[in-house]
Amino acid sequence: MKLFDVYPLNDITIVKAAGSYVWDDKGNQYLDMYGGHAVISIGHTNQHWTTRIEEQLHKIAFYSNSIKIPIQQELANKLSSVCRKEDYQLFMVNSGAEANENALKLASFYNNRKKIVAFEKAFHGRTSLAVAVTDNPSIIAPVNNTENVVFLPFNDEPALEKYFLDHGDEISAVIIEGIQGVGGINCATLGFLQLIRTLCTRYNVVFIADEVQCGYGRSGKFFSTDHASINADIYSMAKGMGNGFPVGGILIAPHIHSKYFMLGTTFGGNQLACAASLAVLEIIEEENLIEQAAENGSFLLNELQKLDEIKNVRGKGLMIGFDVPESLKDLKKNLLYKQHIFTGESKPNTIRLLPALNITKKEIVQFLEALEKEIVFLTSKKISAINQ
Ligand SMILES: Cc1ncc(COP(=O)(O)O)c(C=O)c1O
């Protein structure tokens, strides 16, 4: 049987991982500045995380949500103390798309409305509603196409105010990434987030913060929207939540009430996923990883800003992007195949950095030195081509 061919693959097989490094089947070591797609929060194969999963595996991996699962409550308690949303409620799922799917559905149940405001360049996942609020027509199948979604320009306060003025009473939810990831590391301005909060409150619209990529400490605060000192009504989470164990969830404000069977899932909140998620939070808390992400992220951002050849360095914490001019178009490829460093990208020309929250300064310096080396190499190649 063939694999369904949807991923253009790098010709590399990773067989081992530890901290911020991974190794291929030939024994080559790579620095992971991509965090395996923004997923690795506490470092690959963290000892506490593997032990906690292993211990849970020997007790019970799964039993349905029809019984009491105390480890779910344990996770909810730990999460509320780490993210400081004590009065919120947790509903667990298995992925980011599923988290957004449930968030949007719950919003619609809550206010009995249909319209959703999303933003240009947004990415919220690939399931039906999640993809409908994603600004990429090439991944929206005809069956997912809906007139209920409007895309407004990102960070455009007058456009948002005008839309609310005209349609405020019809809007069910506004969904936004505090920092757009797939869209190219675009930070929502604090004023824009605060305006969303004000308008949502005024019109009884549900404010959904998609923190799947930018949350869980990545931005230097637990949620990226915390930088704006506001509370969303629903936070969606996944990626860093399990450090590679597939798990997602939504945090729901207390004014949104539950009803039996309004949401549900077979696998969401299983014992094993809860053990993995607890281990992540325990390490984040014990090792002050959010503060560390903020500090090491500013160091990385400042150092990148000193490099004239790369443009528009931006981001928060350890979610950083920069644009690569045409003359350096092989930079990402060379970093991977020559320097053995994984980075992320956003089309057309952005390199995205999403390393583990506990990446060390030494590893960051390793990245910066390799980056400069490749910039010099590609620039000198260009100069010698001009001189010939
Ligand atoms: C902001 C954001 N939301 C949702 C998703 C979807 O998550 P998943 O791939 O786990 O469904 C992603 C994935 O990249 C994302 O970056």
Side-chain angles (χ1 to χ4, degrees):
M1 187 190 284
K2 277 186 6 185
L3 296 175
F4 200 53
D5 190 12
V6 288
Y7 302 113
L9 299 179
N10 292 304
D11 189 15
I12 296 175
T13 304
I14 296 298
V15 293
K16 199 178 83 170
S20 284
Y21 290 103
V22 296
W23 287 264
D24 69 15
D25 52 357
K26 299 175 188 76
N28 296 311
Q29 176 177 302
Y30 297 76
L31 177 65
D32 187 8
M33 294 298 291
Y34 176 46
H37 203 56
V39 163
I40 301 304
S41 46
I42 59 167
H44 289 280
T45 59
N46 175 284
Q47 176 95 58
H48 177 63
W49 178 82
T50 49
T51 307
R52 228 189 193 289
I53 294 173
E54 213 174 307
E55 282 173 2
Q56 185 61 46
L57 193 54
H58 290 290
K59 287 188 217 154
I60 179 170
F62 173 83
Y63 201 84
S64 103
N65 277 306
S66 63
I67 47 130
K68 285 185 176 173
I69 302 180
I71 197 170
Q72 282 184 358
Q73 189 57 55
E74 204 186 324
L75 174 63
N77 294 346
K78 178 56 88 183
L79 188 54
S80 75
S81 76
V82 178
C83 78
R84 306 207 180 98
K85 309 276 177 218
E86 284 83 2
D87 50 352
Y88 278 59
Q89 311 152 81
L90 172 65
F91 177 71
M92 288 187 70
V93 292
N94 309 285
S95 69
E98 217 185 317
N100 286 327
E101 199 74 27
N102 280 283
L104 292 161
K105 188 174 171 182
L106 183 56
S108 180
F109 273 136
Y110 167 74
N111 53 22
N112 204 22
R113 299 176 189 168
K114 289 186 187 170
K115 266 195 196 311
I116 302 165
V117 172
F119 297 98
E120 288 170 7
K121 290 200 172 175
F123 184 90
H124 298 293
R126 290 165 182 273
T127 56
S128 61
L129 261 180
V131 83
V133 292
T134 288
D135 184 22
N136 180 356
S138 73
I139 63 167
I140 301 178
V143 72
N144 302 132
N145 216 340
T146 163
E147 305 213 319
N148 290 327
V149 178
V150 61
F151 291 98
L152 298 181
F154 194 63
N155 282 337
D156 185 336
E157 295 183 19
L160 185 70
E161 273 177 325
K162 165 104 180 61
Y163 194 81
F164 265 82
L165 208 56
D166 296 342
H167 301 280
D169 294 331
E170 300 159 58
I171 307 170
S172 172
V174 174
I175 183 163
I176 186 167
E177 297 154 85
I179 305 171
Q180 291 185 330
V182 175
I185 313 289
N186 308 312
C187 298
T189 61
L190 305 187
F192 194 61
L193 293 170
Q194 285 155 358
L195 180 64
I196 294 175
R197 179 64 279 166
T198 305
L199 292 171
C200 283
T201 304
R202 187 177 305 154
Y203 289 90
N204 196 28
V205 172
V206 176
F207 180 166
I208 302 172
D210 178 346
E211 299 279 356
V212 167
Q213 185 165 156
C214 53
Y216 250 78
R218 178 151 298 285
S219 74
K221 299 227 183 251
F222 192 85
F223 290 125
S224 66
T225 42
D226 290 344
H227 289 276
S229 308
I230 45 127
N231 283 318
D233 299 313
I234 303 180
Y235 295 90
S236 58
M237 316 166 289
K239 294 195 189 285
M241 185 174 186
N243 196 46
F245 194 97
V247 59
I250 51 177
L251 279 192
I252 305 154
H255 65 276
I256 301 177
H257 300 296
S258 57
K259 233 175 29 184
Y260 284 151
F261 305 121
M262 83 195 291
L263 303 179
T265 153
T266 298
F267 293 120
N270 67 77
Q271 288 84 345
L272 209 49
C274 289
S277 308
L278 265 167
V280 168
L281 289 171
E282 283 156 0
I283 295 292
I284 285 182
E285 195 174 44
E286 276 161 32
E287 300 185 6
N288 291 320
L289 293 193
I290 301 181
E291 294 74 8
Q292 208 172 302
E295 195 184 311
N296 283 339
S298 331
F299 169 70
L300 176 55
L301 192 87
N302 287 337
E303 292 303 308
L304 289 170
Q305 278 168 342
K306 292 179 192 161
L307 303 176
D308 292 335
E309 296 85 353
I310 57 174
K311 308 291 170 207
N312 197 13
V313 178
R314 58 202 182 265
K316 281 194 185 121
L318 288 169
M319 185 162 181
I320 294 176
F322 56 84
D323 295 340
V324 172
E326 179 60 22
S327 56
L328 298 180
K329 66 177 174 9
D330 288 336
L331 187 57
K332 184 175 185 312
K333 194 177 76 190
N334 285 8
L335 281 170
L336 180 58
Y337 288 103
K338 286 173 63 192
Q339 302 295 330
H340 288 174
I341 296 178
F342 277 96
T343 56
E345 70 181 333
S346 293
K347 301 286 182 207
N349 65 337
T350 298
I351 286 189
R352 262 194 297 165
L353 304 176
L354 303 147
L357 307 184
N358 55 2
I359 189 167
T360 62
K361 215 167 228 162
K362 194 160 160 239
E363 289 157 347
I364 290 176
V365 169
Q366 181 195 337
F367 166 70
L368 289 165
E369 285 174 358
L371 179 69
E372 284 191 61
K373 214 162 157 183
E374 279 312 313
I375 290 174
V376 169
F377 173 77
L378 289 168
T379 313
S380 63
K381 222 170 98 177
K382 190 183 148 220
I383 291 168
S384 70
I386 291 168
N387 290 340
Q388 269 167 19

